[in-house]
Amino acid sequence: MRTRSPRETRDLGELIGRSVPPGTVIAFRGGLGAGKTTLAKGIARGLGVEDEVTSPTYTLVFEYRGRMPLRHVDAYRLSSPAEFEEIGASELMGTDGLCLIEWSENVAAALPAEAVVVEILPGDGPEARIVEISGSPLEELLP
Ligand SMILES: Nc1ncnc2c1ncn2[C@@H]1O[C@H](COP(=O)(O)OP(=O)(O)O)[C@@H](O)[C@H]1O
Ligand SMILES: [Mg+2]
């Protein structure tokens, strides 16, 4: 899927947030400035989160209340899957909520096989992005 502005990326996120079932883990891939947090903001909006969503770079995790709990993890500062386990990976990825993981590459071995992988790649121009979604159930839900 291609987006042509931050707004389009947020709108795509909103669509994801509206349709995602509880227990979903979304593993983001893509470098600094790719648009992971922008997409996460849209997902939160689709989930009905009213609080402002900001990057949990320093705190590692922010939790929000929406139609299900949203747990937003930034694994940038985690150097191993074991460190993710130490901050409570299994609860963060619980069956009751939605877990979004930025810099998921850093904790790949701790992710469930069913995690939805969302990779954001540069597109054709500064505001263009390619968003590649792989894994059930989101693959089927989106146009
Ligand atoms: N199509 C797009 N989708 C998302 N962000 C975009 C897009 N075009 C430009 N941007 C800009 O890229 C930056 C993405 O930042 P952010 O979402 O924090 O990235 P990340 O969390 O991947 O580091 C923002 O400054 C945003 O305005
Ligand atoms: Mg970010």
Side-chain angles (χ1 to χ4, degrees):
M1 193 152 320
R2 287 170 183 275
T3 68
R4 283 161 302 183
S5 64
R7 192 205 164 99
E8 280 192 12
T9 297
R10 272 196 303 275
D11 287 349
L12 172 61
E14 190 169 352
L15 198 65
I16 294 171
R18 274 196 248 124
S19 46
V20 73
T24 303
V25 174
I26 300 183
F28 289 121
R29 289 186 190 159
L32 189 67
K36 303 178 294 296
T37 300
T38 302
L39 190 60
K41 285 174 193 272
I43 292 172
R45 190 166 64 189
L47 218 61
V49 171
E50 287 176 3
D51 292 341
E52 197 201 340
V53 170
T54 56
S55 181
T57 308
Y58 297 100
T59 48
L60 304 178
V61 183
F62 277 138
E63 295 203 36
Y64 303 92
R65 201 184 283 263
R67 73 176 160 83
M68 66 180 94
L70 172 63
R71 302 173 182 118
H72 185 192
V73 179
D74 191 331
Y76 186 73
R77 283 159 189 280
L78 297 177
S79 47
S80 69
E83 280 186 28
F84 187 34
E85 311 279 6
E86 277 162 29
I87 66 162
S90 53
E91 291 77 21
L92 291 168
M93 299 189 291
T95 54
D96 60 325
L98 170 61
C99 183
L100 306 179
I101 307 172
E102 298 195 31
W103 298 100
S104 66
E105 299 91 331
N106 288 355
V107 296
L111 301 177
E114 322 80 68
V116 178
V117 176
V118 174
E119 181 157 20
I120 309 179
L121 300 160
D124 198 4
E127 296 238 294
R129 299 290 189 275
I130 300 164
V131 183
E132 288 184 346
I133 301 171
S134 53
S136 296
L138 286 183
E139 226 167 15
E140 294 85 49
L141 288 171
L142 295 169

